[in-house]
Structures are given as structure tokens and as C-alpha cells.
């Protein structure tokens, strides 16, 4: 009761201190460069945005409280520790972890007399790899590109095809695992066997991120080669850059 709020207050305070010290990054625009930080004023810009977010959050919570039924204890009856309702679903923020556990292989190797249980691979190794890539990516990219300069401008997705492709691939992994966390509900809804969905998710969690990453990389490379021009002009038209830096479709 006291430790967690104190940790939250400390973490938020540390975050604000880092923002104050390092400043925000920014998208390219008039007056913005790698050597300055042009931000919005606290008043009225940021204050009104925060106030609007507060009102939107309050409205959503109020609507949920009035119209959404959550944990109807009158329907479930008294709590019985050894009885689990079916279908039991995880909370949304650990749905991907539940999915990893559900589709994880039954693999328990014996290493130096120590049996590694099968939940270790999807429950510890996979999250460690995914979050490890996300956390270490800035250092990995700096090592690969030999770029250790300070940057205040953000890259658009098409300006960094490799980074965009890997990011979307990781998000796809999380998406597939989240769906796999509800394989029993999906099996009932789709009228298929749970084992069939489990096998399909085992294939998708490997194949789909690769496909998404390759498609994203190809699209970003195409946009970058066109100088940032959007893809797919109307038939019979070409794209040219305007004087203000935008793009327009013209007859060839």
C-alpha cells in the first residue's frame, strides 16, 4: 500500500527530471533542427491538452461504469478457490504472455542434471528476447551505424526502413501471442479444435512477423527512393514535389 505508490511517485519524478534534462525530440519542421528543441508552451498548449485528456479519461471511465458489466459476482456466486470459471482469460496486459505459454512447445531438456521446465522458454526466454531487443535497440543501432551523435529530430518511418520493419515485426509477435491467449474462446467462436488453432498460432508467430517486416521494409524503401513521395498515384498521373516541400499529382 505504501511501497508501490512511493515507487510510482519516484518513477514519475525521475521521468520528469530526464525530460527536463534531455528535452523532447521533435519532427522536422520550420525552425527545427538537430541543434535546437522547439516545444509547445506549458500555457496554454500543454495545459489544455492535459485538461482535454483528463476529461476524455473521465468520460470513458464514466461510460464504462454505467454501461459495461465487469465481474458480475451475482452471476458467478461465492468465490471457491479450487473452482475456475471457464473460459478463464488473462488480463489484457498479459494476454500475450498467456498466449506464449499456451503455444509453447513441450520441451524440457536435462542440462547438467537440471531439468529446464517447458514454461521457461515461452514464459522467461521469449519475453527476455523481445524486451531485450526493444531496450537495447538504440545501442545496437548506434553500434551498427557508427552514429553516436545527439539527435533532436525524429525520423519518419520511411527514413529508417530497417528500424520500422523490426519494430512492426515485434509488434506482430505481440499481436499473434495476444490472440493465442484466447485460443479456447476463438475455437468456440470459429467452431474449430483448440489444437488446430494452437498449431496455426505456432506457425503464425514465426511466419507472420517475417512477412510484415519484409513488406514494411519494401514499402519504406520505395517511399525513401521516391524522396518521401506517397505511393500509388492515380492511374495516368505522376508525382512531383511542390515549392513548399509537399507533393502533388500531375499529368505526365
Amino acid at each position: 500500500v505504501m511501497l508501490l505508490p512511493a515507487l510510482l511517485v519516484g518513477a514519475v519524478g525521475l521521468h520528469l527530471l530526464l525530460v527536463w534534462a534531455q528535452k523532447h525530440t521533435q519532427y522536422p519542421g520550420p525552425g527545427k533542427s538537430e541543434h535546437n528543441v522547439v516545444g509547445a508552451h506549458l500555457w496554454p498548449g500543454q495545459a489544455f491538452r492535459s485538461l482535454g485528456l483528463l476529461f476524455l479519461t473521465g468520460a470513458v471511465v464514466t461510460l464504462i461504469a454505467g454501461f459495461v458489466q465487469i465481474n458480475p459476482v451475482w452471476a458467478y456466486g461465492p468465490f471457491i478457490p479450487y473452482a475456475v470459471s471457464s473460459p478463464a482469460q488473462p488480463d489484457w496486459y498479459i494476454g500475450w504472455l498467456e498466449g506464449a505459454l499456451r503455444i509453447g512447445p513441450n520441451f524440457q531438456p536435462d542440462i547438467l542434471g537440471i531439468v529446464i521446465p517447458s514454461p521457461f522458454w515461452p514464459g522467461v526466454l521469449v519475453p527476455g528476447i523481445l524486451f531485450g531487443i526493444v531496450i537495447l535497440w538504440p545501442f545496437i543501432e548506434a553500434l551498427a551505424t557508427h552514429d553516436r551523435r545527439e539527435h533532436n529530430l525524429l525520423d519518419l518511418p520511411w527514413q529508417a526502413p530497417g528500424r520500422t520493419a523490426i519494430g512492426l515485426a515485434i509488434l506482430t509477435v505481440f499481436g499473434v501471442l495476444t490472440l493465442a491467449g484466447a485460443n479456447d474462446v476463438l475455437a468456440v467462436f470459429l467452431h474449430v479444435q483448440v489444437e488446430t488453432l494452437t498449431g496455426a498460432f505456432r506457425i503464425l508467430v514465426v511466419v507472420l512477423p517475417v512477412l510484415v517486416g519484409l513488406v514494411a521494409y519494401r514499402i519504406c524503401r520505395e517511399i525513401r527512393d521516391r524522396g518521401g513521395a506517397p505511393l500509388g498515384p492515380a492511374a495516368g498521373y505522376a508525382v512531383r514535389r511542390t515549392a513548399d516541400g509537399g507533393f502533388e499529382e500531375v499529368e505526365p
Side-chain angles (χ1 to χ4, degrees):
V1 173
M2 298 182 63
L3 178 61
L4 292 181
L7 290 175
L8 287 174
V9 171
V12 171
L14 179 61
H15 166 72
L16 294 177
L17 179 63
L18 290 174
V19 170
W20 174 80
Q22 297 184 350
K23 306 297 187 295
H24 282 285
T25 50
Q26 56 196 354
Y27 283 104
K32 299 177 181 179
S33 70
E34 294 282 17
H35 308 291
N36 65 1
V37 178
V38 182
H41 292 286
L42 175 63
W43 181 267
Q46 294 293 350
F48 275 35
R49 288 190 180 97
S50 298
L51 190 62
L53 178 61
L54 172 65
F55 288 148
L56 285 174
T57 303
V60 171
V61 172
T62 302
L63 289 173
I64 291 176
F67 296 100
V68 178
Q69 179 174 267
I70 301 175
N71 293 333
V73 294
W74 52 89
Y76 293 143
F79 175 67
I80 303 175
Y82 54 82
V84 179
S85 59
S86 182
Q89 296 301 306
D91 294 319
W92 63 269
Y93 47 86
I94 58 171
W96 64 273
L97 185 57
E98 173 74 12
L101 291 170
R102 293 190 182 192
I103 67 175
N106 184 19
F107 179 59
Q108 298 190 142
D110 189 336
I111 302 177
L112 300 177
I114 300 175
V115 177
I116 307 298
S118 56
F120 170 81
W121 311 108
V124 177
L125 185 62
V126 170
I129 293 175
L130 293 176
F131 284 104
I133 293 175
V134 173
I135 293 172
L136 297 177
W137 181 257
F139 307 98
I140 296 173
E141 185 170 334
L143 183 64
T145 61
H146 305 288
D147 184 3
R148 300 184 181 278
R149 296 171 297 172
E150 181 178 350
H151 294 280
N152 291 320
L153 290 180
L154 295 169
D155 291 327
L156 295 172
W158 57 266
Q159 292 174 319
R163 185 194 310 153
T164 301
I166 293 175
L168 288 176
I170 292 178
L171 289 177
T172 304
V173 172
F174 280 111
V176 173
L177 292 180
T178 300
L179 291 175
N183 61 350
D184 52 347
V185 176
L186 291 175
V188 174
F189 181 77
L190 299 175
H191 303 287
V192 297
Q193 293 183 347
V194 175
E195 293 78 8
T196 303
L197 278 181
T198 300
F201 281 126
R202 285 176 175 173
I203 298 174
L204 287 175
V205 77
V206 176
V207 175
L208 193 58
V210 175
L211 292 178
V212 170
L214 291 176
V215 171
Y217 182 80
R218 183 68 182 87
I219 292 175
C220 290
R221 281 290 302 271
E222 180 71 18
I223 296 177
R224 189 179 66 177
D225 293 343
R226 294 162 62 102
L231 296 179
Y237 286 80
V239 175
R240 73 178 181 185
R241 186 183 293 272
T242 60
D244 59 359
F247 297 91
E248 64 178 0
E249 295 180 1
V250 296
E251 295 184 4

